[in-house]
Amino acid sequence: MEAVVEATELEKTYGETVALSGATLTIERGEVFALIGPNGAGKTTLVRALTGTTDPDAGEARILGDAPRAVDRDRLGVLPQDFSPPDRLTARELLDYYAGLYDDARDPADVLADVGLVDSADTWYEDLSGGQQRRACVGATLVNDPDLLFLDEPTTGIDPAGRRTVWRLIEELAAGGTTVVLTTHDMAEAERLADRVGLLADGSLVAQGTPEALIAEHGGSSRLTIDTDAEPAAFDDLEYPVDQAADRGRNRDAGVVVREIDPEAIGIVVDYLEANDLAYTGLSWAEPDLETVYLELADATERERTGRLDNGDATADADRPRAGETA
Ligand SMILES: Nc1ncnc2c1ncn2[C@@H]1O[C@H](COP(=O)(O)OP(=O)(O)OP(=O)(O)O)[C@@H](O)[C@H]1O
């Protein structure tokens, strides 16, 4: 396999703030790699170090076999988080403008179609909706048909249908051999798109792997959440471990979580609730997902950093069931 992105022990501090602390990763050609992590974890700084818009204090970054600043710009597409093109250009003019920067650019009309903006092609950028603006920005990174594409939060502010347009586009690009590095706070996006995910916390990549491997290693067991005001102690005679659910927000019963339970065994819990006169308003079963992993690992890093004691229920914050899995 050909390494297209290589970061070795990257360090970057801003005054007292450590933005990168020994970040090391390798991304192969054609991979979609998702960088996830809490606000301030260092994702943007890592992308900037890899694209040559910031110099690390130590360590080495190489992309497409070269130092980031030495790479042929025709081969690279970069969508920064805060990219804001001129307002008084239409979507079409914007892509024409960016296409004009390259000798061998794609037809901007094709790019407009790719990002789903044909109907808004003649609308000024400032009059596009936030999501349409973001799609136009994604388009601007595609005019040179890059081999390596960095997308910093590409779908932030885009509605669900538009998000799927961008997801399909990223999948097509990757199928065609483009290497894509994206940062996202959307775990469904990372789980759907990424061949591998890197979780950045406090400037270090604390976990890397396929979504499936990360979920298997860090996701814990499947769980059944019961909407009930009953205490976990009321379930002492149930054959499964039961904990209090994390804060479930307004308008929800407090809730308890039954762990290590397969869906076929939900009937046992229902029988138990009824035999013990325990009132409940709903049950939802969920497999661990990338969000579970994220919360577990980000929380573990936070505990380590602050010296906060583990209460023995490290996954308690991760009890939200996945949509569509309500029993
Ligand atoms: N130019 C800068 N000057 C000073 N501090 C900076 C600068 N860039 C980043 N930082 C700090 O470095 C840390 C990492 O920031 P970074 O933007 O890389 O995080 P992030 O993971 O991308 O966050 P988010 O998810 O909020 O976008 C933060 O504490 C941030 O305040």
Side-chain angles (χ1 to χ4, degrees):
M1 289 293 274
E2 181 194 343
V4 169
V5 175
E6 289 173 283
T8 313
E9 295 289 329
L10 292 178
E11 309 271 345
K12 182 79 187 177
T13 53
Y14 295 103
E16 299 283 288
T17 304
V18 179
L20 291 178
S21 169
T24 296
L25 87 166
T26 302
I27 302 172
E28 311 285 350
R29 182 173 181 276
E31 269 195 305
V32 178
F33 190 94
L35 276 173
I36 61 173
N39 291 131
K43 301 178 296 297
T44 295
T45 307
L46 179 54
V47 168
R48 296 189 69 216
L50 291 171
T51 53
T53 48
T54 195
D55 290 321
D57 302 328
E60 193 187 13
R62 290 182 77 77
I63 56 173
L64 297 164
D66 268 316
R69 287 186 203 270
V71 163
D72 178 358
R73 291 285 126 180
D74 286 2
R75 300 186 65 195
L76 190 61
V78 182
L79 175 66
Q81 203 175 101
D82 51 5
F83 182 53
S84 54
D87 283 345
R88 295 294 171 113
L89 289 179
T90 66
R92 187 193 312 279
E93 288 166 347
L94 181 73
L95 295 190
D96 283 347
Y97 169 75
Y98 281 99
L101 301 177
Y102 300 95
D103 292 335
D104 190 19
R106 292 183 59 199
D107 182 344
D110 291 343
V111 179
L112 278 170
D114 282 353
V115 293
L117 282 181
V118 172
D119 292 344
S120 312
D122 296 314
T123 306
W124 274 352
Y125 183 82
E126 67 176 359
D127 291 334
L128 294 172
S129 73
Q132 289 170 332
Q133 288 183 343
R134 198 64 183 153
R135 283 196 255 167
C137 295
V138 172
T141 67
L142 300 179
V143 289
N144 56 325
D145 198 11
D147 295 328
L148 173 58
L149 186 58
F150 286 89
L151 300 171
D152 200 347
E153 297 191 22
T155 58
T156 297
I158 302 187
D159 64 33
R163 213 158 47 130
R164 277 175 173 69
T165 304
V166 174
W167 287 357
R168 278 194 295 273
L169 184 58
I170 292 172
E171 284 166 347
E172 282 165 24
L173 289 164
T178 309
T179 307
V180 182
V181 183
L182 65 101
T183 74
T184 185
H185 288 293
D186 179 344
M187 295 305 111
E189 176 166 296
E191 203 170 328
R192 163 156 171 176
L193 291 179
D195 297 305
R196 283 191 306 133
V197 173
L199 188 130
L200 203 61
D202 283 343
S204 303
L205 280 145
V206 296
Q208 292 183 57
T210 63
E212 299 74 26
L214 292 177
I215 291 166
E217 190 172 347
H218 303 284
S221 63
S222 54
R223 61 203 68 205
L224 178 71
T225 302
I226 309 173
D227 298 334
T228 178
D229 287 329
E231 299 292 326
F235 296 84
D236 279 353
D237 294 331
L238 191 68
E239 59 193 276
Y240 299 97
V242 177
D243 299 310
Q244 192 73 55
D247 180 6
R248 311 184 67 220
R250 283 188 301 153
N251 306 323
R252 297 293 299 270
D253 288 333
V256 297
V257 176
V258 184
R259 301 191 185 286
E260 295 161 28
I261 183 165
D262 291 327
E264 305 82 60
I266 292 172
I268 297 173
V269 176
V270 173
D271 291 347
Y272 184 93
L273 287 162
E274 285 169 6
N276 290 277
D277 275 338
L278 297 170
Y280 66 102
T281 54
L283 297 173
S284 49
W285 181 83
E287 276 187 290
D289 58 10
L290 197 59
E291 185 158 325
T292 323
V293 173
Y294 172 91
L295 291 168
E296 165 64 16
L297 291 176
D299 195 45
T301 309
E302 179 68 10
R303 278 197 306 272
E304 206 170 284
R305 192 166 62 84
T306 60
R308 184 156 54 91
L309 285 179
D310 189 345
N311 64 5
D313 180 20
T315 56
D317 287 346
D319 292 330
R320 280 179 298 133
R322 250 194 336 205
E325 290 182 337
T326 300

